[in-house]
Amino acid sequence: IPGNPWVYWIIESVRKIFNNASTFNNIANIKLGLSAVDVFRFNKYLWEVHKNTKWKPLMKGGGFLRWYGNNTILTNWYENGVEVKEEVIYRYPYLKGNYKFKIRDEQWLCKRGLTYTNLGGSSFSARLMPEGSLFDDTGPAIFSNTSDDLFILGLLNSSLANYLLLLINPSIHFQK
């Protein structure tokens, strides 16, 4: 984090990594996606619905799991989420029709990328997110600027990345 003080006790070689390395934003973007809106109506487990175009996979965080997985939930995203958007507008009238308070980064939904669980505790894990998937604020998405998802996935799941993330993360949440 350029210009910000942080862990004073790290060794010099790690300090050099932070001083000389490029920021993560230079290689990828992190997006937040959906926020919960009536989860009992719009979210279902895979085995609760028949496969059709109304339901899209939702990457919703989940437990520690590297590389792939935590994709057992579907969201009603019929006609690009028209029912979800209507529910947001109904529940939050003070937004005056602006559903983007709960549905962020909409242009990134359904694109291939990576996802991770924002509630990590002592370990960070990233996973592939297949094209056609939705993501939410408990499972934010990472989109490569270079289209090299597998390199970024390997980097994020490395023990070095986990160590560095724990150094700069003051809580159990891996925030955007």
Side-chain angles (χ1 to χ4, degrees), residues 133-144:
S133 300
L134 304 171
F135 57 95
D136 73 1
D137 51 6
T138 64
I142 300 169
F143 298 97
S144 170

Side-chain angles (χ1 to χ4, degrees), residues 7 17 19 42 57 60 62 75 90 129 131 149 161 163:
V7 182
I17 290 172
N19 287 336
F42 294 112
K60 192 172 179 51
T75 292
Y90 171 76
M129 180 177 67
E131 187 172 341
D149 291 341
Y163 174 70

Side-chain angles (χ1 to χ4, degrees), residues 11-62:
I11 59 175
E12 186 59 29
S13 60
V14 173
R15 188 180 316 279
K16 284 181 182 180
I17 290 172
F18 280 98
N19 287 336
N20 299 328
S22 173
T23 64
F24 190 73
N25 287 340
N26 287 339
I27 62 168
N29 296 298
I30 301 174
K31 303 297 179 183
L32 292 177
L34 310 175
S35 267
V37 177
D38 197 349
V39 294
F40 295 109
R41 176 177 168 201
F42 294 112
N43 291 353
K44 304 289 182 201
Y45 286 104
L46 283 170
W47 53 86
E48 292 182 287
V49 297
H50 290 92
K51 193 170 188 169
N52 61 42
T53 57
K54 179 178 179 174
W55 299 92
K56 298 271 186 196
L58 175 66
M59 302 300 152
K60 192 172 179 51

Side-chain angles (χ1 to χ4, degrees), residues 64-66 115-118 120-127 142 153 155-158 161-163 165-166 174:
F64 178 87
L65 189 58
R66 287 186 173 142
T115 186
Y116 65 95
T117 303
N118 81 344
S122 63
S123 292
F124 182 86
S125 64
R127 297 171 295 283
I142 300 169
L153 182 64
L155 175 68
L156 291 174
N157 282 332
S158 72
N162 189 62
Y163 174 70
L165 285 168
L166 291 174
F174 292 105

Side-chain angles (χ1 to χ4, degrees), residues 37 41-42 54 76-89 103:
V37 177
R41 176 177 168 201
F42 294 112
K54 179 178 179 174
N76 175 347
W77 201 246
Y78 179 71
E79 296 289 327
N80 290 316
V82 68
E83 292 177 57
V84 177
K85 293 171 185 174
E86 288 171 354
E87 184 67 19
V88 170
I89 292 167
I103 302 171

Side-chain angles (χ1 to χ4, degrees), residues 64-106:
F64 178 87
L65 189 58
R66 287 186 173 142
W67 313 115
Y68 187 80
N70 288 347
N71 50 359
T72 60
I73 296 176
L74 301 172
T75 292
N76 175 347
W77 201 246
Y78 179 71
E79 296 289 327
N80 290 316
V82 68
E83 292 177 57
V84 177
K85 293 171 185 174
E86 288 171 354
E87 184 67 19
V88 170
I89 292 167
Y90 171 76
R91 283 182 182 237
Y92 306 97
Y94 55 86
L95 296 176
K96 299 182 179 1
N98 183 6
Y99 61 83
K100 293 182 180 185
F101 173 72
K102 288 288 208 173
I103 302 171
R104 297 173 299 270
D105 304 315
E106 186 175 1

